[in-house]
Amino acid sequence: FVDTGSTDDTCEKIAAAFDATWPATPGDGETRQMPVYMRCGPGQPLVRIVLETFEWCDDFAKARNFAFSLGTAKWRMWLDADDELTVDLPKEQQNGDTAAQHLRKALMHTDGLGQANVVMMMYNYAPPLLKQDKYRVVRWQDGWRWEGPIHEELVPHPSHQRVIASYRELSVVHQDARDPVRSIKRNTRICTANYMEAFAKGNVELAARMAYYLGQYARLENDRERATRFYVEAGTNLGLTNLAAYAWT
């Protein structure tokens, strides 16, 4: 868990859920400290639970890289606090597995094949308007990194090729999807600042990416004229990419 600036007792509640204390204090031999180790079920391996804070600086990539650096697993996944992993299969095909169990089995299969190094899933941010594929799980040991202050991109190490596995039976749902206003204003502010900076520096590709997301936010606010202007800019300048296809549709 990485807290990026909550102003309530979020950290204390997370620690308490694992019978630990926050912030960490010199122990007396009896008080449980973070990180802690626990089993998620009978016969399951020990899981390391980490809780850290990150001073928010309007840069999602920096926060993501910090969070991923705390992990020790070969494959690492990100979920925001208001995201939920779901299985998009008929109940009779789920075999009683939870979404996490289904993901674990899928990853074991992917890892056994030894080819793919990143997994893509559908992200339902504000359906049906904001739905798109996102890189969600990555073999971090290959030297990946996150880049970009907002709508950050997962960039592979120069010596590794991006080989994608697509899990169409799994998706991530943003739990503020019915009322995403809280994050739209923040994201619009950050996107606008990066759009203007990229435009001023002649970075057409970055400006076009920011334009696409600004179009999405304008659409959510029912500003169709502004949304169309940004979509056209994104579609024109992003070439043969998924975002360009999304923009034109």
Side-chain angles (χ1 to χ4, degrees):
F1 297 92
V2 175
D3 186 290
T4 57
S6 64
T7 57
D8 54 15
D9 55 353
T10 295
C11 288
E12 288 82 354
K13 288 182 176 178
I14 292 174
F18 299 103
D19 296 324
T21 60
W22 183 266
T25 54
D28 55 7
E30 298 180 0
T31 303
R32 199 178 192 199
Q33 306 282 317
M34 299 293 281
V36 299
Y37 295 83
M38 63 175 292
R39 299 187 192 278
C40 296
Q44 296 296 313
L46 282 171
V47 176
R48 176 172 169 263
I49 310 296
V50 179
L51 175 59
E52 292 286 352
T53 59
F54 176 85
E55 186 175 352
W56 183 243
C57 57
D58 279 356
D59 193 315
F60 284 86
K62 287 182 179 180
R64 292 254 185 267
N65 285 323
F66 174 74
F68 273 62
S69 74
L70 300 173
T72 57
K74 180 179 182 180
W75 291 87
R76 304 182 196 182
M77 177 182 181
W78 62 277
L79 281 175
D80 289 337
D82 48 8
D83 287 339
E84 180 183 0
L85 180 67
T86 63
V87 181
D88 300 326
L89 289 173
K91 193 169 184 179
E92 59 271 16
Q93 296 181 25
Q94 297 182 21
N95 300 318
D97 288 341
T98 64
Q101 289 169 333
H102 191 98
L103 173 62
R104 184 171 185 271
K105 291 179 179 180
L107 271 178
M108 288 177 66
H109 177 72
T110 298
D111 194 54
L113 294 176
Q115 297 177 346
N117 55 16
V118 64
V119 174
M120 182 175 282
M121 298 182 201
M122 180 61 68
Y123 184 37
N124 296 294
Y125 181 76
L129 297 182
L130 268 64
K131 295 177 63 177
Q132 68 182 82
D133 290 320
K134 285 280 190 181
Y135 297 128
R136 185 62 63 168
V137 192
V138 62
R139 195 168 65 196
W140 190 250
Q141 66 183 27
D142 289 357
W144 296 77
R145 69 185 185 281
W146 293 98
E147 289 186 357
I150 189 167
H151 299 297
E152 58 282 5
E153 295 286 320
L154 191 56
V155 180
H157 190 275
S159 64
H160 287 84
Q161 185 179 6
R162 190 194 314 261
V163 184
I164 304 168
S166 183
Y167 291 179
R168 308 313 298 178
E169 73 280 13
L170 289 165
S171 63
V172 175
V173 179
H174 185 64
Q175 293 304 300
D176 279 346
R178 293 182 180 178
D179 182 23
V181 174
R182 291 187 300 172
S183 59
I184 287 176
K185 289 185 178 180
R186 176 203 61 196
N187 290 0
T188 298
R189 173 177 58 79
I190 300 174
C191 275
T192 299
N194 283 274
Y195 171 80
M196 294 177 66
E197 181 178 354
F199 189 84
K201 292 182 177 179
N203 189 335
V204 176
E205 190 272 338
L206 178 57
R209 280 203 298 113
M210 293 298 102
Y212 168 77
Y213 289 108
L214 287 170
Q216 294 286 70
Y217 297 136
R219 187 180 180 191
L220 284 174
E221 294 177 320
N222 296 315
D223 189 341
R224 295 193 176 187
E225 181 179 348
R226 187 165 177 263
T228 299
R229 176 169 59 84
F230 280 125
Y231 282 148
V232 169
E233 179 179 349
T236 301
N237 293 323
L238 284 174
L240 299 176
T241 62
N242 285 343
L243 285 189
Y246 291 140
W248 288 124
T249 56

